[in-house]
Amino acid sequence: EVQLVESGGGLVQAGGSLRLSCAASGLTFDDFAIGWFRQAAGKEREGISCISSTDGVTHYANSVQGRFTISSDNAKNTVYLQMASLKPEDTAVYYCAAEARAFDCTRVPGLYDFWGQGTQVNVSS
């Protein structure tokens, strides 16, 4: 059974930092790309970053480029999202997801096969 478990969410002041973790089990990590998505209340789910576990390719949404960094520890089957310079508009439920693909990655939610349960991030002004 594939499981993705997010952790690291919480409440932080604007300008602060958080690191989210996505621990994956039940899959061969090298065969998947991992994406981070977020969904704010009343808004559509947004793909904010992704990483290919095989070739290390990463992509970022314009809204987080330069502030968020995605990384992967293949030995631990874990992907991290380091978030800095947080803004109130970053408040959302953050999800990680896995897409079965060997190379590159996408930020399109509909292409992902497995999803975590989400972790809440609240950024106060």
Side-chain angles (χ1 to χ4, degrees):
E1 178 188 7
V2 175
Q3 282 194 320
L4 300 171
V5 180
E6 303 95 337
S7 61
L11 174 63
V12 63
Q13 287 189 330
S17 299
L18 280 175
R19 189 179 79 159
L20 304 183
S21 299
C22 173
S25 60
L27 54 78
T28 302
F29 206 58
D30 287 349
D31 293 339
F32 285 81
I34 304 294
W36 280 101
F37 301 81
R38 68 185 180 186
Q39 189 163 19
K43 295 188 176 182
E44 292 187 354
R45 190 165 295 190
E46 175 189 16
I48 57 173
S49 186
C50 65
I51 186 167
S52 166
S53 303
T54 303
D55 56 18
V57 170
T58 60
H59 296 292
Y60 296 92
N62 289 339
S63 57
V64 306
Q65 180 78 48
R67 299 188 298 121
F68 291 9
T69 303
I70 192 170
S71 62
S72 176
D73 185 336
N74 288 11
K76 296 183 178 179
N77 276 18
T78 299
V79 170
Y80 304 98
L81 186 69
Q82 180 67 49
M83 306 187 295
S85 302
L86 283 162
K87 306 173 182 180
E89 52 264 43
D90 294 319
T91 294
V93 179
Y94 283 70
Y95 301 89
C96 67
E99 179 192 5
R101 64 185 294 149
F103 299 99
D104 206 348
C105 63
T106 77
R107 294 184 291 107
V108 179
L111 297 180
Y112 280 74
D113 305 290
F114 304 101
W115 290 83
Q117 81 289 349
T119 185
Q120 179 72 46
V121 171
N122 290 308
V123 183
S124 63
S125 57

